[in-house]
């Protein structure tokens, strides 16, 4: 395995490469990265991406705060993460260089837009000396390309003013990198046409800039070599590239189809969840209703109303929105109505780091409501897995008539990976029947409807929707008598209901997939078990691979269901003396495992708004392996 | 509304089997009776009717209606009801709320439901007090009110619910009171018929914590001189002998006058359908509180597309344009490649 | 110890008695109970009370739902609970009898208002037969007193209409019981005058009814005996009777005085917390500002504003309000401003049982915010202890510049006990200085103000309030650079700040009282340790007494600080093989102890809206003592 | 306000050391400059000035002012600021909010701060879009607006912030825009001087997500014909040659007319101090959106006791009545007994 794309000769074959595009927020780095990714995807590489952008729409140009970056890992075999550290860094200005250089692997390739390294920008970035001249970049292979002026030159035929023409320089950079990694140019050229088609000047400028960059690579005798990363031998099938948020949106549309219910989304915009609302609102032809509510409370409340009315009801948000929705989620627990609550976690507390990733809302999802108000929790592990996880969450909500949390995070939301499209026909049927008649005998032979009479197996109550004659009923947040659903202040009934709501959630354990244990030596074979949840999956798996590559033994289990836990979890935990839980928080899952099973779970934590690097987890595993028991 | 012919019902059919639990003498009873008696006339079926409320004495209302119902959480009824109405435009959705529930904690949901013109019939029971929590002042309590939380008198200037609703772009705004079943029913009937959000303020007596709050205008003797009935197309007149009237001067000032002083022709003719709500707003300011001549009836009733219909329209348009959703096609709608 | 006030002769001495007054919500039972309690307090008994009333203002008269009850335990020695079961039940109507009879001890005394046992009322209460006639009350000593008609008769001199006169019947009942337990009559007569003085007819009617009841006891040859419960030998001092909510209000006023800060309360009414708002708003002469906000979010937000402005800021609520305040509490964590959040817990989830007690908000207080947002938690253990606990919570908030939770519950809030008044001079000084000048050297000799520069010991940041020249600064919910407080997206700084906020809270452990261990045999002496928190204190202590009275060994520890835990807790837990945690929830503290210390804590739970009975905990302890290790 | 004489300051003194981080060309810049330049004139000290905001592009404002400031959470600025103002009536408290922050999630706090007349100067940056979250429609976006969350056009009828504020009992209501520093400063000065809650709507261009939203009235060419300046005591006239004016007819309808048609004397004279807000409301409805002649300036400015003063008054009264608080006496104020 080559970690670094070392400069070589004519055309070198690489098994993988990690490239980071970095520039000013206004430089279009996300677009550039995205395009490179798409071209690589269509080319057949396996890949994984990591966008990273500032909270401001456009932070001051040229400053560190304004730097926007996009990292992509492409490979000829299946990979699990966007890569710990790039081996190639494209830096469009000094600030981008400064903010990202420390991540570049020693010996890595650095391509800079030399035009941008003038005094003003250097000062803004806090450079006393121009790093291009002071020898501080010795450790890297540096290519200085005057991208701005070359772009202006190349786009002259469009007649655009230099200020406007400059804006195509990201396409110039894309061209250079596309040449360097022998990407096909057609998909990008086509995409430029379709994306900017309504503004031909811009389309033409971008096309010219892209071609100029590509040709620059080929003709300028600057680069010693270009590189090939062959298509990956992925499982055969039809693939598309998908981000977590789009996968959630597709998952919701799919869940609607699979349950034969109209989807209702009540939501309020918030980073990094808004894109689910955006995506869903484009698919009204599926009968999807999206309501941009006045706030998060109205978002979830309207969803509760829609659930009562018989829709597959959903609310999407991020941490601060979950805080606000807590009271209404408690109502949904009490009403026992199906409801999906989707939390795209971001850096907290409070407004925190809104555009960064974190997984610190697990305890909030578990416990963030007054009283005893248990709610099942499902967590997605990769961008594409968001699709499946969404359907699973919907399945549980519908079958058990309960609100269900789906946890994702900023990293999954915006990260992308190739997704082998499922055969729609094989997706599960998650339809549940509505109540259609009375269900209880009054004792005198006449029948009536009891809204809280339960299915003895699932403990779910009937879902009787308005429009059904004879099933009129009233429900509310006051404690209810089990069965009739009438208000009840009876002490024994309250205890019964509190325990019953918990039992209903606990009982779901029998209806979910057991957690998969990856231990080549069978359960208990390795001395250390790594348990994770959510977006750390790929990184943990990569770390586990690395540890095994060292000839050491380690087991991995990744939880999709956080409440209830899969029934085999306790047994698995019991088989390992050392349990390591990597989390992007201060140890939330670890705490729960300890409290639930008295397992001496140990934490490795990273709370930096950034995903773990495989190396970090690798070294924690190794350390634990080496520690005394 | 469904097409099927609606079976004939009586008040009893609309009355649930739950015992009513308001204090004896509470104004809520007469409102409940007015609604239960009115329902058979409205042409809805019980199964297509949903009552949604928040929390408060008034918010217990849905339990007593033999329809679908949600007793939700404090202040959120308009939001919950918006979900019901948007999901199911075929239903008749009522919101029951109080001056605390609807104007304090729930004020935002209320004004947004009004501006969106969601198809809801909203009844706000205004007793100028928090009943359920045993007597704190509310956003409609008068300045100086002594309550449990204001032992030295409240210092909050109150909302005028009619003005607030008009300021929030409401298309239907009316006021009635718990002492006059006929008037209530007439107003409720109009509100129910209105397409979009219909807002009705009901002056309601809380005989335990705020008894007699409306006596100055609602006592039998006071009504002729202190209630100004609004009737569309009619000059706005009141008094035992219709001797009083309302005019607007050239500087946009509405005033109460003796009809004899200005002549009948000068009297303002009520126009609830006027596109812009300025007039209705001006009328809402005639009284600064329920202790001087106060308009009751429909202030405003104008047409505007309803939120639910527009949602529906976009769904239909999308289907016409894109065809019904095809999941497999959606999944492959981005760039795809075969491995 | 006599458990039952058995009928005897002339005047019998009792060491304690538990009396329950029960009637319709409109019957004034809370008032009656309260008066009896006050008279007993002034008389010198130790006592403890338990009010229990319906959620409706006035549920339908005569129905079970409308029953309101008040239990009082009076004693000649110090007691800990309002008593498991009454030995005397006063039932004003059939519904009150039906709802309460099952609690009356076998052989207990039952005094009924026989006038109310007519058909309509019997039907409403669901009696097919009149229980007064069908022999179903054989197990009790029943006194049938036609209280309504006797009251009407007695109050004739006032000229009141019978319908109005009837309403004094609770004073008749009070008179009977006052005679029966030889209470002094003067305090009650005086109180009637002062309470109803502005309506002489009512005052007179109540006086006449009370006297008539008292005389009825003395003259009617119905009662075999009356009883004496001597004053308790409490610690000498000046006593008053206090409920938890009033104690909180007084605690806040005291904290204001002790910190020399004006108190600001931003609150929204909610049962059972509203009375704190009511009580505080009466004491504006202490410079206390109370704002009845438009909702809970505004309540806490205004408090945050007041804290920024230099006030001792407080927000009070119950569970549903905490849900809503979550986001703003997270902001306060990020702003590092002092703030008291007082949660008077009630039955949940959702609207639940609003007038009933529960302690199911512990995990919410610990974890109910997105991101890592730790907040210290203090819990009161008895009504009077609310005073001290409030001051302690304020002390922590001010010293560490952090929001602090104070947990109380419906039982403490409304329950009352005698309180030995503290010497005001001995209360702690909790004043903290405001920042008054720049605190950081720019490096060039000039000084500036850094709002996030910390006290190395407490890790608290300076509290610089508006009006102080030169300390102008801006703070917000985005992540801040430690020190300067400027917005920072730096990954390492974020991790630093997340850990620092946790460390600040953890560090408080060194500044709180160790948890007291009650084990007569020294630490680890008993085989079972009972750990509790909150309002279960009295009941657990009573149960422990009972277990010890059986000659068995058991230890008790009760937590006042729930976050951080006292530093000696881990050691204490480690010394016991069996740890029992009684809670009015499904085991929240037990879960936290397990997760934190891997202690195999076992739960006994009661979630009925009612406090434990000492017998319930007693039997759980005995069972655990007998179980195999 | 303190009594000490206020030192002379310049814009620079009011400018913090934090780099301004709005998009180049954003209308927020000119508002910031207007405020920073105005501050030295207002007579407050920096230490007695507090800026409180919620979340949004506009809500970054406090970071750029060299005063005390809180960048709070989304929608809650009016509530946070109420706490500051009630605790400390000596401070000058400003609220900075956006159309989403102030009218969507924060609508309720805004209307309650207005009705209470808390002493706040509230600047609402209305760009008719959510800027910070990258372009969803807001409660002031026009019907049909295509945004990220409304790919087929918004169906929500927008609020008119001026109408809403007037419906919420606001005592000071004004509108200005980011293209005219002088007008902004005049309006801000008036708002600041007002005792109580002063509400100012500022039309603000978001050149990234909603560029040109106000061009129809704010472009250099459009202003004379499409801005109607309101000046107290002056006939309401506009147009390049003041050829247009506003009248109210006897049926309470305000209309734009050619002055020549009706005569100068018929033109409505603006009265911002009129006790009842009917006229101001009517003026707020002259334009249904920023694409036809739209009034700017002060719609309403009336006196009413401020919340902070009343709180203070009750504190003083309580002290006078009960004497300063005595803790020991309080604790023994109930029934006590000696053991
Ligand atoms: C989140 C929340 N906050 C507070 C309460 C307590 N609460 C219940 S009803 C109510 C006010 C009721 O007043 P109103 O809406 O006027 O109804 P009324 O009882 O007068 O009919 C309050 C404060 C609650 N149930 N939930
Ligand atoms: C509780 C919460 N919900 C949502 C958000 C996301 N959010 C931040 S600003 C904003 C809207 C901003 O719009 P506006 O107030 O108009 O300000 P602008 O950016 O246009 O100046 C939203 C939805 C948040 N930060 N917090
Ligand atoms: S408290 Fe008032 S509003 Fe509530 S039920 Fe009783 S009388 Fe009616
Ligand atoms: S997104 Fe719009 S409002 Fe926000 S800073 Fe940029 S231009 Fe201004
Ligand atoms: Mg009310
Ligand atoms: Mg905006």
């Amino acid at each position: 395995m080559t970690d670094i794309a070392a400069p070589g000769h004519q055309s070198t074959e690489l098994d993988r490469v990690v490239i980071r595009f970095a520039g000013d927020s206004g430089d279009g780095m996300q677009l550039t990265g995205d395009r490179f990714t798409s071209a690589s995807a269509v080319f057949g590489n396996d890949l994984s991406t990591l966008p990273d952008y500032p909270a401001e729409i456009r932070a001051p140009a040229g400053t560190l705060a304004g730097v926007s970056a996009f990292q992509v890992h492409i490979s000829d075999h299946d990979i699990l993460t966007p890569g710990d550290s790039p081996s190639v860094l494209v830096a469009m200005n000094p600030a981008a260089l400064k903010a990202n250089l420390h991540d570049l692997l020693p010996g890595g390739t650095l391509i800079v837009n030399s035009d941008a390294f003038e005094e003003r920008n250097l000062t803004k970035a806090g450079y006393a000396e121009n790093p291009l001249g002071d020898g501080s970049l010795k450790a890297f292979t540096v290519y200085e390309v005057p991208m701005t002026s070359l772009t202006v030159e190349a786009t002259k035929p469009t007649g655009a003013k230099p200020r406007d023409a400059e804006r195509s320089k990201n396409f110039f950079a894309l061209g250079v990198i596309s040449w360097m990694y022998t990407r096909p140019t057609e998909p990008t050229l086509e995409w430029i046409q379709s994306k900017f088609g309504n503004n031909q000047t811009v389309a033409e400028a971008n096309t010219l800039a892209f071609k100029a960059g590509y040709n620059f690579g080929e003709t300028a005798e600057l680069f010693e070599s270009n590189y090939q990363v062959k298509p990956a031998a992925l499982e055969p099938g039809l693939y598309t590239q998908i981000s977590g948020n789009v996968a959630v949106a597709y998952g919701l549309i799919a869940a609607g189809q699979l349950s034969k219910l109209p989807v209702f989304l009540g939501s309020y915009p918030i980073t990094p969840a808004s894109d689910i609302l955006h995506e869903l609102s484009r698919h009204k032809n599926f009968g999807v209703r999206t309501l941009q509510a006045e706030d998060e409370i109205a978002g979830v409340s309207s969803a509760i109303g829609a659930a009562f009315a018989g829709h597959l009801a959903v609310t999407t948000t991020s941490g601060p929105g979950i805080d606000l929705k807590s009271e209404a989620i408690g109502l949904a627990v009490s009403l026992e109505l199906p409801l999906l609550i989707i939390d795209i976690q971001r850096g907290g507390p409070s407004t925190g780091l809104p555009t960064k990733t974190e997984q610190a809302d697990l305890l909030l999802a578990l416990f963030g409501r007054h009283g005893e108000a248990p709610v099942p929790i499902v967590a997605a592990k990769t961008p594409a897995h968001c699709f499946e996880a969404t359907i699973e969450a919907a399945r549980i909500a519908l079958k058990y008539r309960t609100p269900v949390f789906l946890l994702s995070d900023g990293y999954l939301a915006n990260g992308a990976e190739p997704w082998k499209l499922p055969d729609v026909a094989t997706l599960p049927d998650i339809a549940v029947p509505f109540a259609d008649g009375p269900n209880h005998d009054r004792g005198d032979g006449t029948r009536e409807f009891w809204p809280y009479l339960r299915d003895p197996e699932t403990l779910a109550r009937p879902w009787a929707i308005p429009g059904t004659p004879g099933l009129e009923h009233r429900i509310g947040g006051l404690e209810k008598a089990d069965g009739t659903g009438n208000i009840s202040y009876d002490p024994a009934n309250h205890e019964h209901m509190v325990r019953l709501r918990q039992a209903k959630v606990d009982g779901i354990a029998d209806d979910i997939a057991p957690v998969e244990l990856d231990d080549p030596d069978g359960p208990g074979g390795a001395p250390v078990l790594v348990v994770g949840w959510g977006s750390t999956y790929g990184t943990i798996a990569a770390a586990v691979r690395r540890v095994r590559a060292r000839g050491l033994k380690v087991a991995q289990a990744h939880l999709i269901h956080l409440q209830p836990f899969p029934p085999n979890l306790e047994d698995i935990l019991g088989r390992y003396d050392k349990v390591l839980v990597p989390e992007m928080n201060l140890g939330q899952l670890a705490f729960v495992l300890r409290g639930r099973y008295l397992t001496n779970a140990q934490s490795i934590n990273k709370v930096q708004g950034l995903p773990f690097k495989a190396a970090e987890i690798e070294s924690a595993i190794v350390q634990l392996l080496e520690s005394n028991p | 509304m469904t097409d099927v012919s609606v079976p004939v019902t009586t008040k009893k059919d609309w009355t649930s089997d739950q015992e009513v639990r308001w204090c004896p003498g509470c104004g809520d009873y007469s409102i409940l009776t007015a609604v239960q008696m009115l329902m058979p006339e409205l042409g809805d079926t019980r199964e297509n009717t949903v009552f949604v409320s928040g929390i408060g004495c008034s918010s217990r209302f849905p339990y007593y209606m033999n329809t679908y119902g949600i007793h939700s959480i404090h202040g959120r009824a308009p939001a919950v009801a918006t979900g019901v109405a948007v999901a199911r435009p075929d239903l008749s959705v009522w919101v029951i709320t109080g001056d605390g529930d609807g104007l304090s904690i729930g004020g935002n949901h209320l004004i947004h439901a009004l501006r969106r013109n969601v198809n809801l019939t909203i009844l706000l029971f205004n007793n100028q007090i928090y009943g359920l929590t045993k007597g704190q002042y509310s956003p409609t309590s008068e300045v100086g009110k002594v309550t449990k939380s204001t032992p030295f008198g409240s210092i909050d200037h109150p909302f005028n619910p009619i003005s607030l609703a008009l300021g929030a772009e409401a298309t239907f705004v009316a006021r009635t009171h718990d002492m006059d079943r006929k008037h209530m029913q007439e107003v409720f009937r109009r509100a129910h018929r209105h397409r979009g959000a219909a807002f009705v303020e009901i002056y309601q007596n809380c005989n335990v914590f705020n008894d007699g709050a409306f006596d100055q205008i609602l006592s039998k003797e006071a009504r002729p001189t202190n209630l100004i009935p609004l009737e569309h197309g009619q000059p706005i007149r009141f008094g035992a002998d219709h001797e009083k009237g309302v005019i607007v001067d050239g500087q946009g000032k509405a005033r109460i006058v003796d009809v004899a002083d200005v002549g009948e022709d000068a009297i303002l003719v009520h126009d609830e359908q006027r596109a812009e709500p300025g007039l209705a707003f001006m009328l809402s300011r005639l009284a600064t509180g329920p202790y001087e001549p106060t308009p009751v009836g429909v202030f405003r009733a104008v047409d505007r597309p309803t939120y639910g219909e527009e949602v529906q329209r976009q769904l239909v348009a999308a289907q016409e344009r894109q065809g019904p959703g095809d999941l497999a096609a959606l999944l492959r709608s981005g760039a795809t490649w075969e491995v």
Side-chain angles (χ1 to χ4, degrees), chain A residues 19 118 134 172 184 212 243 252 257 265 313 336 371 399 425 427 470:
Chain A
I19 303 172
E118 34 82 32
D134 67 359
F172 185 95
S243 72
L252 290 173
Q257 301 281 304
L265 174 69
E336 302 189 43
K399 180 164 173 186
L427 294 175

Side-chain angles (χ1 to χ4, degrees), chain B residues 39-63:
Chain B
M39 295 310 289
E41 298 176 29
L42 296 184
D44 297 330
T45 57
R46 289 180 304 161
E47 66 267 22
N48 281 335
T49 302
V50 182
F51 278 82
V52 180
S53 66
I55 300 285
C57 293
S58 34
S59 288
R60 292 292 182 96
F61 196 99
Y63 287 120

Side-chain angles (χ1 to χ4, degrees), chain B residues 19-24 29 55 57 60 64 71-74 76 100-101 103-106 130-138 147-152 156 207-209:
Chain B
E19 202 163 6
V20 183
R21 294 193 179 174
W22 289 309
C23 306
Y29 283 98
I55 300 285
C57 293
R60 292 292 182 96
Y64 310 136
H71 178 226
S72 75
I73 43 179
H74 198 30
R76 316 305 171 189
D101 192 62
L103 295 174
S104 196
I105 189 168
Y130 286 4
L132 190 70
T133 46
K134 307 198 172 173
Q136 299 83 13
Y137 78 114
S138 90
T147 69
K148 286 211 181 113
S149 56
T150 52
F152 307 114
D156 290 29
N207 57 309
V208 171
F209 295 110

